[in-house]
Amino acid sequence: MKYLMKSFNRKSLSPAHAFLSSTEAAAIMGDQQSPEEKFKLITRNLQEVLGEERLKEILKERELKVYWGTATTGKPHVAYFVPMSKIADFLKAGCEVTILFADLHAYLDNMKAPWELLELRVQYYEQVIKAMLESIGVPLDKLKFVKGTDYQLSREYTLDVYRLSSMVTEHDAKKAGAEVVKQVEHPLLSGLLYPGLQALDEEYLKVDAQSGGVDQRKIFTLAEKYLPSLGYTKRIHMMNPMVPGLTGGKMSSSEEESKIDLLDKNQEVKKKLKKAFCEPGNVENNGVLSFVKHVLFPLHSEFIIKRDPKWGGDKVYTDYEEVERDFAAEQIHPGDLKASVELALNKLLDPIRKKFETPELKKLTASAYPEPSKNKGGAKGNPKQTADEEEVIPSRLDIRVGMVISVEKHPDADSLYLEKIDVGEEQPRTVVSGLVAYLSQEQLQDRLVVLLCNLKPQKMRGIESQAMLLCASIEEEPRKVEPLDPPEGSAPGDRVYVEGYESGKPDDELKPKKKVFEKLQVDLKISDEFVAQWKEQNLMTKLGQITCKTLKGGNIC
């Protein structure tokens, strides 16, 4: 794969580069710094560094070799500016930096990137990440770009994969990938291989250090534990913080409302920020504030709140903590914060959007990330196409809020409860649930629950169950199960939907042979913020998110 390198031309910088001071620009151009100055620049704004002393030793002798990798799955979003700003720091400190487009990793992550799209997505990532770096003034000719499969399919690497697999336990592999690899109830072997391959990349890229998000910490510690067993050096690991999404959870490529895409138009940026969680005075899980902290301040070293003169006029902040204090004291209105972030963000995105206006890059984007199937050819030669042949998407599920009216033991099964649940219909539904071992009758009585209502009714020990009570579950021994919680104030019958799939019409009844729910269930999970999600997109009602109380990372069944 060929990588195009562009020379750094100060005159060509767009207005988005105005944050570069003359001192920083000089550093980029190669001015000498002391090891202490380099260490400070390399480690600033990081959440954690493993191997600080080794880092200091290397800087006294030579320049640091570091790599940052990204699996080419979903579209990069604005949170990618966090690692991009660190790459800028590394270059200013004189580091030799490699960017890895980890295409094989993308495939191994429970096939989030189909094999036939991998090459196209690598090309998209290359173009969009280069555009990001250009937008913040990072010289591309100081970087090395590598595609994973350029070396990961070699005989030597493959043999090391086998060597490593003979040492790493299933427990360690699963634990290492828990925060990065999509977790499913029945994990594929590919997902267990992923952390080991990432560890081996450090050796095969011949680097001193790996940089990544703090969500990769367990993979980094696996690398530190097992690489020496292969006779390889333990590397330094540097972790940047994760930016919460606009809805309060993790900013994710697959959760549309949580993120701002790098190619979102101005009006889309405005729309998403307007809907973002930003409660007056609340600085917890505030994705808008977090974006100011982790993206705008590292890039600009200041932030301007734009507001009407009658409310005090514009105010320039040079310290994030002051922004947070003023917001907590409600001296900054959420509307003013959002408007100011919108302005700053659009300045960063403008050069990226402009680059992707070319026909070639528009075609690449459409090819790498095709729209969900619109049943091309469905009408051609097959005008009688049925709903059974449609795309398996979450809007086909009829999920509703319910209220448990009564609960008693099943007369013929000690492990089952027999419940009457109001789901907003004329009569309550009869539901049979295997929850006796996990919840008392008192814990279920009169509580709000979430039910899947369009499964085909099924007899369970002689009694027909007319819906499925959805629960979070942790399969490790001892198994833990708890019902999902609708938002406070919900009423029986309130519709539950997956963000981005609000408008679809549920099937009247899910046909068992088509296994629609089973196919969707693989990607139903509880996030680290205890939010129910499908492919990291939140389950919602009109009042807010569906959650569970304690089972972070659990499956939904």
Side-chain angles (χ1 to χ4, degrees), residues 159-167 196 199-200 203-204 225-233:
L159 288 175
D160 270 346
V161 171
Y162 287 130
R163 289 174 64 204
L164 192 61
S165 66
S166 71
M167 301 174 182
L200 286 174
E203 174 65 24
Y204 280 79
K225 178 179 179 180
Y226 285 103
L227 279 190
S229 300
L230 295 174
Y232 298 142
T233 304

Side-chain angles (χ1 to χ4, degrees), residues 71-84:
T72 50
T73 52
K75 287 183 181 179
H77 45 72
V78 295
Y80 275 61
F81 276 114
V82 176
M84 295 305 105

Side-chain angles (χ1 to χ4, degrees), residues 54 202 208 223-225 227-228 232-237:
R54 174 63 180 151
E202 297 177 350
D208 306 303
E224 293 193 358
K225 178 179 179 180
L227 279 190
Y232 298 142
T233 304
K234 182 167 71 172
R235 266 62 179 193
I236 299 158
H237 295 101

Side-chain angles (χ1 to χ4, degrees), residues 30 139 153 164 178 268 277 302 307 330 415 434 508-509 516 534 537:
L153 301 179
L164 192 61
E268 189 65 22
F277 174 78
E302 69 173 29
R307 57 189 174 193
E330 299 191 28
S415 63
D508 292 333
E509 183 177 280
V516 173
W534 179 79
Q537 294 171 263

Side-chain angles (χ1 to χ4, degrees), residues 255 450 470-472 484-485 496-499 523-540 545-548 554 556:
E255 186 183 340
V450 176
L470 295 179
C471 297
L484 299 181
D485 292 316
V496 177
Y497 58 87
V498 173
E499 285 183 310
D523 294 304
L524 285 169
K525 296 283 294 181
I526 302 298
S527 75
D528 288 347
E529 290 73 35
F530 304 99
V531 178
Q533 298 181 332
W534 179 79
K535 289 190 174 181
E536 299 183 3
Q537 294 171 263
N538 293 342
L539 272 66
M540 306 279 294
Q545 301 168 343
I546 301 297
T547 60
C548 83
I556 297 175

Side-chain angles (χ1 to χ4, degrees), residues 30 34 42 108 160 177 206 235 245 249 331 384 413 419 433 436 545:
S34 70
I42 288 168
L108 291 176
D160 270 346
K206 301 303 178 186
R235 266 62 179 193
Q331 294 178 20
K384 295 181 180 180
E419 303 130 3
S433 303
V436 171
Q545 301 168 343

